Amino acid sequence: MSIFPVYIVGAGPGDPDLITVKGRKLLEQADVVIYADSLVPPEMLDCCRADAEIIPTADRTLEQIMAVMLERVRSNLLVVRLHDGDPSLYGAIHEQITALVEAEIAFEIIPGVSAFQLAAARLQVELTIPELVQTIILTRISGRTQVPEPEDLASLAAHHASLCLYLSARHVEAAEAKLMQHYAADTPVAICFRLGWKDEQIFVVPLAEMAATTQKQGLIRTTLYLISPALNRLAGKARSKLYDPDHDRLFRPKPAP
Ligand SMILES: C[S@@+](CC[C@H](N)C(=O)[O-])C[C@H]1O[C@@H](n2cnc3c(N)ncnc32)[C@H](O)[C@@H]1O
């Protein structure tokens, strides 16, 4: 038995200040930090102890990562496995969880800010505007990893939701064609490159220009697309019931007449 669980921590999208307080405290205390160096900026590790062992994993296999993780935690070291964004989204943690369960090692997951949340913040929008759009879809297009057929992008586009498209820049022409089956050609799309990194770039273009803009800017990696009617500031004049003076709420009952 090990003293500590393995802590799987979400680092957020890039800005070192966007990690949770709990995640940051664990990074400060960790004996060992095993981190996804292709997606987590090195500045994230500035708060680590000078004697902490820092292990980048971009060039390692799952077996190599698990071997070092299990060895260190069994040596009663505090191990942080640091993933970009929120670990529950395209984080490849399922296979690590399976291996930890098989090894009978306890673990705890500390959530992080996902790329789509920083995109909405940068764009200064709400993705769920009353009477305009009330659903957010987080998805990707098939690449080396196949998306199950019932989740095909064209069928998800039919919902006209706020759609956040991960891991799709290499296949942007196919993505645009599928989205155009249901969204209007002038639906705003935010193309968000390396949000929270020093070279962050955001382009807001009509859907019909999504692929051309991506290719012109040479974006291949670390790009999130946000396709949503909510990006049009003038759309959706309806307001929420939450702060409506005519709406009786548990915490703000209407004054007696
Ligand atoms: C392996 S997935 C990890 C997603 C991550 N777990 C999250 O919650 O944001 C990597 C993809 O997420 C998106 N992504 C992650 N970080 C990003 C960032 N800082 N800026 C833009 N897109 C990002 C891109 O679509 C990228 O291809």
Side-chain angles (χ1 to χ4, degrees):
M1 283 294 287
S2 51
I3 304 179
F4 302 111
V6 168
Y7 292 97
I8 300 174
V9 175
D15 179 343
D17 286 343
L18 287 180
I19 191 170
T20 62
V21 173
K22 190 161 188 176
R24 169 95 179 199
K25 281 184 183 162
L26 284 164
L27 269 187
E28 287 167 357
Q29 291 163 13
D31 297 303
V32 183
V33 179
I34 304 174
Y35 86 112
D37 49 319
S38 55
L39 285 162
V40 175
E43 300 83 54
M44 289 295 314
L45 306 173
D46 287 353
C47 67
C48 294
R49 285 180 5 219
D51 63 341
E53 183 186 14
I54 307 291
I55 305 174
T57 56
D59 62 352
R60 296 190 185 210
T61 63
L62 174 67
E63 288 69 19
Q64 291 168 329
I65 295 167
M66 292 315 300
V68 74
M69 190 189 293
L70 295 177
E71 194 281 322
R72 300 301 192 272
V73 74
R74 283 177 174 141
S75 304
N76 292 328
L77 297 173
L78 196 163
V79 178
V80 167
R81 173 65 169 130
L82 189 64
H83 278 276
D84 69 301
D86 182 71
S88 73
L89 291 170
Y90 309 111
I93 60 166
H94 176 69
E95 60 218 53
Q96 298 172 61
I97 290 170
T98 305
L100 287 166
V101 170
E102 274 171 12
E104 298 184 358
I105 296 291
F107 62 92
E108 190 177 330
I109 302 177
I110 315 298
V113 174
S114 185
F116 88 92
Q117 293 165 302
L118 184 54
R122 286 285 194 264
L123 293 156
Q124 300 181 313
V125 293
E126 175 176 352
L127 298 179
T128 52
I129 298 179
E131 295 174 29
L132 181 69
V133 56
Q134 287 290 286
T135 302
I136 300 172
I137 294 176
L138 310 178
T139 191
R140 61 171 299 172
I141 197 165
S142 281
R144 268 182 299 186
T145 303
Q146 286 296 303
V147 173
E149 196 273 324
E151 299 167 33
D152 181 64
L153 186 56
S155 65
L156 298 182
H159 296 285
H160 292 220
S162 289
L163 194 145
C164 310
L165 194 57
Y166 287 75
L167 292 161
S168 298
R170 281 180 201 276
H171 306 282
V172 65
E173 279 183 340
E176 183 183 298
K178 283 175 185 278
L179 293 167
M180 292 272 275
Q181 290 178 31
H182 294 284
Y183 288 92
D186 62 353
T187 305
V189 177
I191 306 172
C192 306
F193 174 71
R194 279 162 69 95
L195 294 160
W197 293 62
K198 293 197 176 94
D199 52 355
E200 169 184 302
Q201 283 182 290
I202 300 178
F203 308 89
V204 181
V205 300
L207 174 56
E209 293 170 24
M210 174 174 153
T213 307
T214 302
Q215 286 157 358
K216 186 171 161 215
Q217 299 299 330
L219 308 180
I220 297 171
R221 302 182 64 234
T222 324
T223 302
L224 176 94
Y225 299 96
L226 182 48
I227 300 100
S228 176
L231 294 185
N232 183 349
R233 280 267 170 84
L234 300 177
K237 293 269 194 232
R239 46 183 286 183
S240 75
K241 298 279 182 262
L242 190 61
Y243 301 112
D244 185 338
D246 294 331
H247 189 66
D248 200 10
R249 290 192 64 244
L250 180 63
F251 294 105
R252 187 171 37 79
K254 267 189 186 172

